[in-house]
Structure formats: C-alpha cells, structure tokens
Amino acid sequence: MELLIGPFSELLSFEGLSLKGALSDEELIIQKEAGVWVKDGKVLKTGPFHDLSMEAIAQNVRISHLVTPMVVLPGFVDAHTHICFGGSRARDYAMRNAGKSYLEIARSGGGIWDSVQQTRKASKKELIADIKNRAQRHLKNGITTIEVKSGYGLNQEQELKMLEAIKEANEETDAHLISTCLAAHIFPKDFDGEKEVYLEYILSDLLPELKIQKLSNRVDIFIEDTAFEEAMSKDFLLKAKGQGFDLTVHADQFHPGGSQIAVEVGARSADHLEASRDKEVELLAKSNTIPVVLPGASMGLGEPFGPARKLLDGGASLAIASDWNPGSAPMGQLLTQAAVLGTYEKLSTAETLSALTFRAAAALGLSDRGRLVGGMLADMVAFPVGDHREILYHQGSLKPTMVWKDGKLC
C-alpha cells in the first residue's frame, strides 16, 4: 500500500533529538502544512504537503486529504504494563485510601497475591478478551505499542497461560503487544521451597519453554525485600541473559538498589525508580539502561514520583510508562499521567513527548519506531488541534481522532 496523508498543521518527527539527557522545546523540528508518505507500512518520507501531493499525483499515488487542523506525531509506546490480569483490586484501593499499609492489606487477603488467585481462576479465553479490550482502549488513545507482562500466574502452567493469552491477543488487535515474563513478580505462597529454588525453577522449567513456543524474549524481576533480594536477583538475571533473554527490572520502587543491579547486568530498562537517590541517577546516566518512570503507580499509591528531572539533568534517558495494573496503577491513562508528571517534575514538552515515543521504544529495544522519518514504521497519532502544545495542556482530556498502525488507519 502506498498513500500520502495530509496536510497536517504540524508534524513532529523527533528527528535529531538525542536518546539521553535534557531536551529543550527549541530542539523540536516542527514541519508546518506537512504530509506523510507511507509505503508498505513504513514512512517513505515527510515534507511540505503541496510538494508531495504534486509528486503523488504524478505517480498516481492515493492521497488522503485532511480538511481540519491536525497535529501528527509518532504513535506512543507504553513500555511497562500488566494488562493481562483477572479480577479487580478495588478493595485494596479503598483500604489504602483509608490509611491501611501495604502489609496490612496483604495480610487481609489483598495485594499481588489476590490478583494471582483471580488470574489463575480466569480462563485463557477470558484473559484474551480482557487484554484486547484494554489494548483497544490504549490504541484509541494513540498508544500503538504496548508491553504486557505476565506475573500473576507464578507457576509454569499459569505463566504459560498468561503468555499464550498475550500472544493470541496480539494476533487479534491492531496494537503491537510485546510480552515480558515476570514470573519473578513475588514469591508464590504455594511454592514448596525457598526463593532461590523458585528462581531456579523459572530458569530450568519455564524459560526454556518460552523459547520453544516463542512466547517471549524478555524477562523481568521485582527487586525488593518483599519480593526478591538483590544478590539472588542478579544471579537470576545473568542466567536468564545467558539463555538469550533481554532483561528489564522492577527497580527502586520502595528501596534503592535494584537499579544498580539493572545496570550491572545490562538490562534494557530499570522501571519505577521512586526511591532512586543521586547515586542511582548517576549510575543510570553512565549506562545504556533506559530509566522508565511510572507516574500511575505514584498516583495510585500516593508515593513520590520517580526523579525524572534529576535523571535528565544528570544525562540519563527517560521513558514514561503507565504501569497499568489492577493494584497500584488501575488508571491506565498514559497521556494524563505523563502530563501530570511533567507539571510536577518540570519537564519540557520535548522531554515528555520523547519519553512517550522514541525513548520509550528504546526501553523495549525497538529502533524501528518512535520517530516519523524515512524507514520507520508508520505508527502515528493525530490530535484535532493546530498547535502541538495543546496535547499536554489538556492533560489527557484531548483525545486523538486518528491513529495509524503500520500505516493502517485504526
């Protein structure tokens, strides 16, 4: 398929912006009255719509004319979600707002283990339907690539069920779902053995099966005293890496230390970072590990935001993800969360939008999306305004009216 789309009032390509460090809005290259030429699901080129339309007419290429002001930018990438789950944790939310602690909620039957039990009860068919519904909502909001974790199964049978559901849902939705194995989410209460034995069970029994069935090439672990300690986590991650898996880490959510492990093992990303100190910021800035902050979890738990400003000023990259999950981050509104984070952390428009596009793609190891330049996937989102600054100004209440995945209008 070959198609010219435009004219867009403004086109933000993110061409030339660096992967790491602070960004000023003056660095944004904004094309006015621009067109996007799409061929075989990729951006062939962009440029002045008038010139491109003359060329398209001469080559008998179809033109999709826009008649209202529109701003187009690359499709958003949500690099950290848990949208494969069963049930609800509304009870946890109410208890937390009433002053109950994490441990008190867990002791009363809530917490991650509650989601594990509800997800285990759900059929694969039910999980697929729920994933598709959540992914479709994300897609309508301009999120064209969505990372999806397992981690509510916590045994081989149930983790495989989750990852199979993610794979099948990916085949039935226009959004691109990227699966991550988070079998090391928490230590399951019904496992017969110690934490180290459970991690070896994942390595020896589950991960080889993922390779055989091609269910995931990414592995995650939650590094916390209440989940898995640093030394055993590092050993687990290095062994998973030795099996050929990419790595990501739930790091520094409540206590520092996890991000250092992420850097030491060469993880693609270190996610959360609410408890990161200057030491962790410096480590991340000197590494190729992408820091991913999750404002939805901070808003859901009433915790501080990850140190986005310090990370950027320190020379690190920055991605922003939703952490959409049934417990700590049930909102699932990525643009709202990013806009609110930007207000509190004083992020420029360029920094916030980059954290949702090419920098978020890098957190997933993807170099084929996140910028609107020749050769990239034609994943695009258009908002019904003439000025790109309106997008964050409305804090998520302004919705896109057009979304393309691989050049196809969704």
Side-chain angles (χ1 to χ4, degrees), residues 44-321:
L44 182 65
K45 54 187 170 181
T46 66
F49 180 75
H50 178 268
D51 296 346
L52 291 178
S53 61
M54 294 298 100
E55 187 177 347
I57 291 169
Q59 296 183 30
N60 201 29
V61 170
R62 188 163 66 92
I63 301 175
S64 176
H65 283 277
L66 304 178
V67 296
T68 59
M70 301 282 276
V71 171
V72 68
L73 57 156
F76 298 137
V77 176
D78 193 345
H80 184 126
T81 85
H82 303 253
I83 63 171
C84 179
F85 64 85
S88 166
R89 300 240 301 275
R91 174 176 170 271
D92 285 20
Y93 184 82
M95 291 178 69
R96 191 161 56 242
N97 286 353
K100 298 296 183 183
S101 70
Y102 179 89
L103 288 177
E104 288 174 320
I105 293 170
R107 290 192 191 107
S108 69
I112 292 172
W113 187 247
D114 184 16
S115 286
V116 171
Q117 292 175 300
Q118 295 189 70
T119 303
R120 286 179 175 180
K121 291 176 183 177
S123 68
K124 185 169 74 171
K125 183 178 179 180
E126 289 171 329
L127 291 178
I128 292 169
D130 288 342
I131 296 167
K132 287 169 59 180
N133 286 337
R134 294 169 189 136
Q136 186 62 28
R137 195 186 90 178
H138 248 15
L139 187 63
K140 286 183 178 179
N141 288 332
I143 301 157
T144 51
T145 300
I146 308 165
E147 187 261 15
V148 188
K149 301 181 189 295
S150 66
Y152 295 125
L154 305 190
N155 62 40
Q156 179 160 333
E157 176 188 359
Q158 293 293 329
E159 286 290 307
L160 287 174
K161 180 183 75 173
M162 292 187 71
L163 290 163
E164 288 168 0
I166 296 166
K167 181 179 181 180
E168 293 181 35
N170 181 52
E171 295 168 354
E172 299 176 20
T173 179
D174 289 329
H176 183 192
L177 309 184
I178 295 176
S179 63
T180 299
C181 178
L182 181 57
H185 198 177
I186 60 170
F187 178 62
K189 293 182 179 181
D190 58 356
F191 183 78
D192 185 16
E194 301 299 320
K195 287 183 179 181
E196 290 87 350
V197 179
Y198 176 66
L199 293 179
E200 285 297 329
Y201 160 71
I202 296 172
L203 290 163
S204 62
D205 290 24
L206 178 59
L207 297 192
E209 194 64 28
L210 302 189
K211 287 291 186 181
I212 292 169
Q213 297 190 37
K214 298 181 179 179
L215 293 175
S216 180
N217 67 348
R218 288 169 46 86
V219 167
D220 194 352
I221 188 169
F222 186 17
I223 302 180
E224 274 292 342
D225 293 341
T226 55
F228 299 97
E229 290 78 17
E230 293 169 26
M232 69 176 68
S233 296
K234 182 176 181 180
D235 181 68
F236 169 78
L237 288 164
L238 288 173
K239 288 178 178 177
K241 188 175 184 178
Q243 293 187 32
F245 288 92
D246 280 352
L247 306 178
T248 182
V249 178
H250 276 62
D252 300 358
Q253 183 175 10
F254 301 110
H255 301 93
S259 59
Q260 180 170 340
I261 301 300
V263 169
E264 289 176 356
V265 301
R268 291 281 188 189
S269 69
D271 304 12
H272 271 294
L273 308 179
E274 293 92 326
S276 296
R277 305 161 300 186
D278 290 346
K279 172 187 173 183
E280 286 73 37
V281 169
E282 184 178 359
L283 283 169
L284 288 164
K286 291 180 178 179
S287 76
N288 293 320
T289 298
I290 305 292
V292 181
V293 294
L294 308 174
S298 298
M299 295 165 72
L301 295 175
E303 297 286 341
F305 291 117
R309 184 72 267 153
K310 283 188 175 181
L311 284 162
L312 290 167
D313 289 345
S317 188
L318 181 76
I320 302 171

